[in-house]
Amino acid sequence: MLSNSRTRRIEWSDCDPAGIVFYPRYFSMFDTSTTMLFEKALGMSGAEIYTHYDVIGYPIVDVRARFLVPVGYRDEISIESTVAEFRRSSFDMQHRLLKDGALAVEAIETRVWAKKHPDDPVRLKAQPIPQEIIDKLSA
Amino acid sequence: MLSNSRTRRIEWSDCDPAGIVFYPRYFSMFDTSTTMLFEKALGMSGAEIYTHYDVIGYPIVDVRARFLVPVGYRDEISIESTVAEFRRSSFDMQHRLLKDGALAVEAIETRVWAKKHPDDPVRLKAQPIPQEIIDKLSA
Amino acid sequence: MLSNSRTRRIEWSDCDPAGIVFYPRYFSMFDTSTTMLFEKALGMSGAEIYTHYDVIGYPIVDVRARFLVPVGYRDEISIESTVAEFRRSSFDMQHRLLKDGALAVEAIETRVWAKKHPDDPVRLKAQPIPQEIIDKLSA
Amino acid sequence: MLSNSRTRRIEWSDCDPAGIVFYPRYFSMFDTSTTMLFEKALGMSGAEIYTHYDVIGYPIVDVRARFLVPVGYRDEISIESTVAEFRRSSFDMQHRLLKDGALAVEAIETRVWAKKHPDDPVRLKAQPIPQEIIDKLSA
């Protein structure tokens, strides 16, 4: 499977009064990493992907995360992201956040390939994942 | 078990370009609800709880969430939060977010009752949960 | 002028490692207060206002803020918001954030009444503010 | 004056339902840029600066910003940051955010060099800015 790896520094804005990352912000980092992986695979920007495939994106339906090591202000981390499994219209993203080479946070997100529902702009309608997307993300 | 229920409106700042809640922000809402439940049970503010029990708080070690219904700008939601299970030094918080009476998001967070580690301010050291906390949250 | 007053508690998620509100988050609070004032004046939700008047909203073009007193975790604050001045297609919002009755943060935002530009969805095109909006916000 | 320049991409998490940057998040970007400038000048991490000089940081007391061009999802921007003026215990940071070479957002932040007040951990006490800091940021 294709993977995306990036490094990032923990900023003041990421941290809470305990001086560590406020945990919802990890998911924001993972969301960006998911987009980066798709952009890398498809050679298009996130916005272009949505237009080209006529989807609203890949909204999340399920997430599981484990927090093993606290990460603090100014820590240098790396995030490795890959698709762990494809299904007909959903897939599992796996994110591993490392600090000093050790696994600090691990998450599995289940996302669906979806359009806006024709009858209600807030609802979503799952679509089969195009084979070329599976092929390129599996490269 | 004691529970905390609150209503909240979805604000512009909660939403993403698809017009729905950016999912990491649900966890921020659940974090606030966890604190509200502890404050209700113990009759102290979050800051007082930390000082009184000499803990850094109840950092998260594991979370699982399911997203069943998209929630959009200006939706009125309610969040119901309770402890699902106590263990020696950790506990499971359950959050149910409802929209128009239907379950939209459900999360189980495992949190530990923790001090700062004496040797390293970023590390945490789990502590036994005081019996009076278990009693008051189980009321 | 009509004004909107609301109280709010400072949450863990609002605060930085110094234990005080991370200052960008004040502007998020003010944005919500601006919407609340419009909703109160017009008797419509924020989303309905945009649809009814066919605007993208009231994006900001200028802001000035002063931070007089730090605000910390668990502080109870109040925010008072009003239009300080109307012009043809822009207006000044004034927000006063009080802690224990003392002015802690004051901001003046200049916002425009705007549509999406017909030639470019990211650009905006200022519109004259409807007289009924001026009348209702001046009540 | 020394300046810091960095590029950044606008992420999904930065944007609001209008598809443009939610304006409070610009200030979060500027806060990071301020720290980056100090780190570049002093050759220490943000956390080390606070410890070395025994300060709580450089909290903001006044900000003024102009928003000239909307910035949308996936835009590549650059941020240039420098000290515009030093005073005894405060200084003005200037941030210029460019999109396609054009000025999109400009901000001037007045910040104080401060300790925690000895009598109240939430209050701050301004300190004279050390001459070596002025020298290194003026290089």
Side-chain angles (χ1 to χ4, degrees):
Chain A
M1 284 290 183
L2 188 71
S3 70
N4 184 71
S5 183
R6 65 177 177 123
T7 57
R8 188 186 184 286
R9 211 161 56 156
I10 299 303
E11 304 295 348
W12 189 255
S13 55
D14 296 320
C15 295
D16 67 13
I20 58 177
V21 175
F22 182 56
Y23 93 87
R25 295 183 192 126
Y26 287 121
F27 297 109
S28 187
M29 299 176 203
F30 296 152
D31 190 78
T32 297
S33 283
T34 297
T35 298
M36 290 173 78
L37 178 65
F38 272 76
E39 294 183 327
K40 182 178 175 177
L42 303 177
M44 287 183 238
S45 78
E48 287 166 343
I49 293 168
Y50 298 172
T51 305
H52 183 79
Y53 292 99
D54 188 23
V55 286
I56 188 65
Y58 19 73
I60 198 150
V61 290
D62 191 289
V63 66
R64 170 130 209 183
R66 293 187 306 140
F67 306 88
L68 307 167
V69 177
V71 178
Y73 178 48
R74 293 290 100 180
D75 281 344
E76 288 281 350
I77 56 155
S78 65
I79 304 174
E80 296 171 2
S81 304
T82 191
V83 175
E85 186 185 343
F86 279 110
R87 285 176 298 274
R88 182 176 146 76
S89 58
S90 69
F91 59 97
D92 289 344
M93 284 294 309
Q94 181 189 261
H95 304 281
R96 291 165 50 87
L97 188 151
L98 307 171
K99 172 179 147 180
D100 301 332
L103 185 63
V105 183
E106 185 173 38
I108 299 281
E109 301 170 318
T110 301
R111 290 172 173 273
V112 288
W113 189 252
K115 286 190 191 236
K116 286 207 178 190
H117 196 284
D119 303 335
D120 178 353
V122 164
R123 283 174 62 205
L124 303 168
K125 196 163 157 27
Q127 302 293 309
I129 304 172
Q131 187 60 43
E132 73 182 76
I133 287 186
I134 297 174
D135 291 346
K136 287 182 174 172
L137 281 156
S138 305
Chain B
M1 282 291 183
L2 188 71
S3 70
N4 183 71
S5 182
R6 64 176 177 125
T7 58
R8 187 185 185 287
R9 211 162 55 159
I10 300 303
E11 304 295 348
W12 189 255
S13 55
D14 296 319
C15 295
D16 67 14
I20 57 176
V21 175
F22 182 57
Y23 92 88
R25 296 185 191 125
Y26 287 120
F27 297 109
S28 187
M29 299 176 203
F30 297 151
D31 191 77
T32 297
S33 282
T34 298
T35 298
M36 290 173 79
L37 178 66
F38 272 76
E39 293 182 327
K40 182 178 174 177
L42 302 178
M44 288 182 236
S45 78
E48 286 167 344
I49 293 168
Y50 297 173
T51 305
H52 183 79
Y53 291 100
D54 188 22
V55 286
I56 189 65
Y58 20 73
I60 198 150
V61 291
D62 191 289
V63 67
R64 169 131 209 183
R66 293 186 305 140
F67 306 88
L68 307 168
V69 177
V71 179
Y73 178 48
R74 293 287 101 180
D75 280 344
E76 288 282 348
I77 56 154
S78 65
I79 304 175
E80 297 172 1
S81 303
T82 192
V83 175
E85 186 184 344
F86 279 110
R87 287 176 297 274
R88 183 178 147 74
S89 58
S90 69
F91 58 98
D92 290 344
M93 283 295 308
Q94 180 190 261
H95 304 281
R96 290 165 50 88
L97 187 150
L98 306 171
K99 171 180 148 182
D100 300 333
L103 186 63
V105 183
E106 185 172 41
I108 298 282
E109 302 170 319
T110 301
R111 291 172 171 274
V112 287
W113 189 252
K115 285 187 192 240
K116 287 206 176 187
H117 196 282
D119 302 336
D120 178 353
V122 164
R123 283 175 60 205
L124 303 168
K125 197 164 159 26
Q127 302 293 308
I129 304 172
Q131 187 60 43
E132 72 183 77
I133 286 185
I134 297 174
D135 291 346
K136 287 181 174 172
L137 281 157
S138 306
Chain C
M1 284 291 183
L2 188 72
S3 71
N4 184 71
S5 183
R6 64 176 178 125
T7 57
R8 187 186 184 287
R9 210 162 56 158
I10 299 303
E11 304 295 350
W12 189 255
S13 55
D14 297 319
C15 295
D16 67 14
I20 59 176
V21 174
F22 183 55
Y23 93 87
R25 295 183 193 126
Y26 287 121
F27 296 109
S28 187
M29 299 176 203
F30 296 152
D31 191 77
T32 297
S33 282
T34 297
T35 298
M36 291 173 79
L37 178 66
F38 272 77
E39 294 183 327
K40 182 178 174 178
L42 302 178
M44 286 183 238
S45 77
E48 288 167 341
I49 293 169
Y50 298 172
T51 305
H52 183 79
Y53 292 100
D54 188 24
V55 286
I56 188 66
Y58 19 73
I60 198 151
V61 291
D62 191 289
V63 66
R64 170 132 209 183
R66 293 186 306 141
F67 306 88
L68 306 167
V69 176
V71 179
Y73 178 48
R74 292 289 101 179
D75 281 344
E76 288 282 349
I77 56 155
S78 64
I79 304 175
E80 296 171 2
S81 303
T82 193
V83 175
E85 187 184 342
F86 279 110
R87 286 174 299 272
R88 182 176 146 75
S89 58
S90 70
F91 58 98
D92 290 344
M93 284 294 309
Q94 180 190 261
H95 304 282
R96 291 164 50 87
L97 187 151
L98 306 171
K99 172 181 147 180
D100 301 332
L103 185 64
V105 182
E106 186 173 39
I108 298 281
E109 302 170 318
T110 301
R111 290 171 172 273
V112 288
W113 189 252
K115 284 188 193 241
K116 286 208 178 189
H117 196 283
D119 302 336
D120 178 353
V122 164
R123 283 174 61 205
L124 303 169
K125 196 163 157 29
Q127 302 293 309
I129 304 172
Q131 187 60 42
E132 72 182 75
I133 287 186
I134 297 174
D135 291 347
K136 288 182 174 172
L137 281 157
S138 305
Chain D
M1 283 291 183
L2 188 71
S3 71
N4 184 70
S5 182
R6 65 176 177 123
T7 57
R8 186 185 185 288
R9 210 160 58 157
I10 299 302
E11 304 296 348
W12 189 254
S13 56
D14 296 319
C15 295
D16 67 15
I20 58 177
V21 175
F22 182 57
Y23 92 88
R25 296 184 191 124
Y26 287 121
F27 297 110
S28 186
M29 299 175 202
F30 296 152
D31 191 77
T32 297
S33 282
T34 298
T35 299
M36 290 173 79
L37 177 67
F38 271 76
E39 294 183 327
K40 181 177 174 178
L42 302 177
M44 288 183 237
S45 78
E48 287 167 343
I49 293 169
Y50 297 172
T51 305
H52 183 80
Y53 292 100
D54 189 21
V55 285
I56 188 64
Y58 20 72
I60 199 149
V61 291
D62 191 289
V63 67
R64 170 131 208 183
R66 293 187 305 141
F67 305 89
L68 307 167
V69 176
V71 179
Y73 177 49
R74 292 288 103 180
D75 281 344
E76 287 283 347
I77 57 154
S78 65
I79 304 174
E80 296 172 2
S81 304
T82 192
V83 175
E85 187 184 343
F86 278 110
R87 286 175 298 274
R88 183 176 146 76
S89 59
S90 69
F91 59 97
D92 290 344
M93 284 296 308
Q94 181 191 259
H95 304 282
R96 291 164 50 86
L97 186 150
L98 306 171
K99 172 180 147 181
D100 301 331
L103 185 64
V105 183
E106 184 172 41
I108 298 282
E109 301 171 318
T110 301
R111 290 172 171 274
V112 288
W113 190 251
K115 286 189 192 236
K116 286 207 177 189
H117 196 284
D119 302 337
D120 178 355
V122 164
R123 283 175 59 204
L124 303 168
K125 195 165 160 23
Q127 301 294 308
I129 303 171
Q131 187 59 43
E132 72 182 75
I133 286 185
I134 297 174
D135 292 346
K136 287 182 174 173
L137 280 157
S138 307

